[in-house]
Every structure is written in structure tokens, then in C-alpha cells.
Amino acid sequence: MCRPKGSLPHLRFYIWKVRSWLAKRLPQRKRWRNQKVSDAELLALHLARIHFKHPYASVWWSLMRQLYPHLPSYTQAYVRLLRLRGALSGLACRQRRHRLVLVDSQPLAVCRWRRTKQCACAGAAEGYGTHGSVYGFKLHAFVSCRGEVLAYRLRPANQHDYRVAKGMLEHLELGSPLKVGDKAYTSKEFITPPKKNAKRPDNRWKPEYHRLRKRVETVFAQLAQAHIRNSQVSTFIALEARVALTLLAHNLNLWLNP
């Protein structure tokens, strides 16, 4: 088995800290009579796997059952995680007003390219990313200069980045910040690097925006290290739960350690 990174006291402290944070934001009532753990404790154990970068959820749960014998089986824990995806999506991000936000996208494959004909995940489509062709979805996100994910959407991989980001702005509560993106977002709404063959270059671009652009790339690299791209799933619901769990774990590192 793959052992978690970090010491056992560090692991227990992280689980206790996250469980206390979640307990204030989730209902305490039990949904079933034979429920062995609360929703806060269940999510804290799942978030610990993301925090300690353990790649295999079933193996991780077996390790947790050795530390906490009262835990349910992995199948029961996974079903409850899928049912809590709505609460996860609400907790994962905080929409607050910012002076400047960064926007970018990241492809999420749901299966290998040679298995696309057998893929049964509804909504998946063929698209392209920086690493080549991908079959699945794209994670579109607005990120603050601090590295906090403010809002996100999951859309098929063939949808254009600009159209998705523009649609997100209509439903977000970020105020009227400056929106910095790459050349895929070239428009009046976003500040992008000027193209070499542009007839009218964007005079709003400043040299310091190059350094700020690295922040969103760093965030996506951290999400990739947390195995968000290893999303070979059979349903869109499972993908939603995994993405929301990973984003919440990422933001909790900033909220709990200011």
C-alpha cells in the first residue's frame, strides 16, 4: 500500500482541524439511523487524501479504517460523497469582490483517447489543450492574485474558453474587477497579451501582468499534483464531486493558514 506523506500526528491534526471547520457549515443531524460518521468527518477524511496527495481513494480509505475502526466501508463512503457534491460545490469557493482576477482553463480527461468510443460519461467531448487532444471536459476558473479559486465551471472540452468565461461573468458576484487572461480570451471584457499580427494591439496590457499570469498557472499545477487530472470516471456526477473536493482542499490551505 502507498502510505500517506507526513507523520501520523500531522495527519490526525489536519483531520481534526478540517472537521471542526466543516462542522460549523454542515448540518449535524443524521440522515440514517445506522450512520457511523457525520458529514463533516466524512469530508475531512476525503479532503485529507487530497492534502497529502494520495492517488488512490480506495487504498486511502483502507488506511483510514485502520486508524478509525468505526468508519463505514469505502462503497458507503463514496456514495455519501456523491450525495454531498452540492454542499461541496457551495463550500469550495467564496465569491468576493477583487480589484483584479485571473482566468484560465484546464482540460480534464474522463478516459484514455483510445477508449473514447466506449466512454459512457454524458456530456464528454473531444477538445484540445496544451498537452494535445483530450476527451472529456474543461475546468474553467477565476483565480485571485493570492491563488484562491473564486469560481469555476465544468464544461465539455470543445467549448471555447472565451464563451464559457463570458457566461460565467453574468452569474458571478465579483464586482467589476480587471480580468486578465491569455490570448484565448482576446476581447474587450478581458485584458490579454497583444498578438504580434494584431492590427489594434491591446494597450491595457502591462508588463507586470506577465508575473500575475504565472499565479493561475501555479494554481493549476498544484491541482494537477493533487491528481485532479486523474479523473477517469464513468459519470459526470463523479467528476463534479472529485473537482469540488480538490478545489475545496486547495482553498482550505489558504483559508486555514492565512
Side-chain angles (χ1 to χ4, degrees):
M1 289 186 178
C2 179
R3 296 294 175 180
K5 300 178 181 179
S7 62
L8 185 59
H10 187 199
L11 171 63
R12 291 183 180 272
F13 177 75
Y14 178 85
I15 294 174
W16 169 81
K17 192 174 183 179
V18 174
R19 181 180 59 188
S20 302
W21 186 87
L22 291 170
K24 301 176 182 178
R25 294 160 176 82
L26 293 174
Q28 299 295 323
R29 62 180 178 85
K30 290 187 176 182
R31 299 187 180 185
W32 301 277
R33 294 182 180 179
N34 60 343
Q35 181 172 315
K36 298 180 180 179
V37 295
S38 63
D39 293 342
E41 183 178 2
L42 182 79
L43 292 181
L45 293 170
H46 284 293
L47 288 167
R49 180 184 69 84
I50 306 297
H51 178 76
F52 290 97
K53 297 180 175 59
H54 196 286
Y56 307 110
S58 59
V59 177
W60 172 264
W61 198 256
S62 299
L63 295 173
M64 293 300 100
R65 293 190 72 181
Q66 296 177 12
L67 296 177
Y68 306 96
H70 67 284
L71 294 179
S73 65
Y74 171 70
T75 302
Q76 294 173 333
Y78 184 70
V79 170
R80 285 185 59 184
L81 175 64
L82 295 184
R83 293 177 178 176
L84 290 171
R85 68 185 186 280
L88 274 174
S89 300
L91 293 172
C93 301
R94 296 176 180 174
Q95 295 185 19
R96 294 178 292 182
R97 295 179 178 271
H98 289 266
R99 186 184 64 84
L100 186 146
V101 295
L102 310 169
V103 59
D104 207 344
S105 65
Q106 184 179 44
L108 300 176
V110 296
C111 68
R112 296 182 180 179
W113 188 258
R114 60 186 177 183
R115 297 176 181 263
T116 55
K117 295 182 179 180
Q118 291 80 25
C119 182
C121 186
E126 299 179 5
Y128 298 92
T130 55
H131 298 280
S133 303
V134 63
Y135 185 83
F137 298 86
K138 271 189 177 182
L139 171 64
H140 303 265
F142 282 92
V143 180
S144 68
C145 297
R146 186 189 174 197
E148 176 185 352
V149 180
L150 304 173
Y152 73 97
R153 291 289 187 277
L154 283 174
R155 292 293 182 268
N158 59 352
Q159 292 191 11
H160 197 276
D161 295 349
Y162 166 72
R163 294 183 179 179
V164 177
K166 185 178 180 181
M168 291 176 62
L169 291 175
E170 299 176 358
H171 305 283
L172 297 182
E173 298 178 359
L174 302 177
S176 300
L178 298 176
K179 298 169 282 293
V180 178
D182 56 17
K183 295 181 180 180
Y185 300 91
T186 301
S187 62
K188 297 180 180 179
E189 293 86 357
F190 300 93
I191 302 176
T192 59
K195 295 183 178 180
K196 295 182 179 179
N197 58 347
K199 296 181 180 180
R200 296 180 180 179
D202 192 350
N203 297 325
R204 299 174 297 171
W205 183 262
K206 299 179 181 179
E208 55 266 25
Y209 290 161
H210 286 289
R211 178 178 55 84
L212 293 175
R213 276 286 308 161
K214 293 183 180 180
R215 173 61 64 181
V216 65
E217 296 174 359
T218 300
V219 170
F220 280 152
Q222 292 172 348
L223 296 177
Q225 292 177 359
H227 310 290
I228 195 174
R229 289 184 177 177
N230 300 345
S231 53
Q232 296 185 15
V233 295
S234 57
T235 62
F236 182 70
I237 294 176
L239 180 64
E240 279 184 322
R242 179 174 298 187
V243 170
L245 192 71
T246 307
L247 293 180
L248 178 57
H250 171 80
N251 284 340
L252 279 177
N253 292 335
L254 299 175
W255 298 340
L256 299 181
N257 302 293

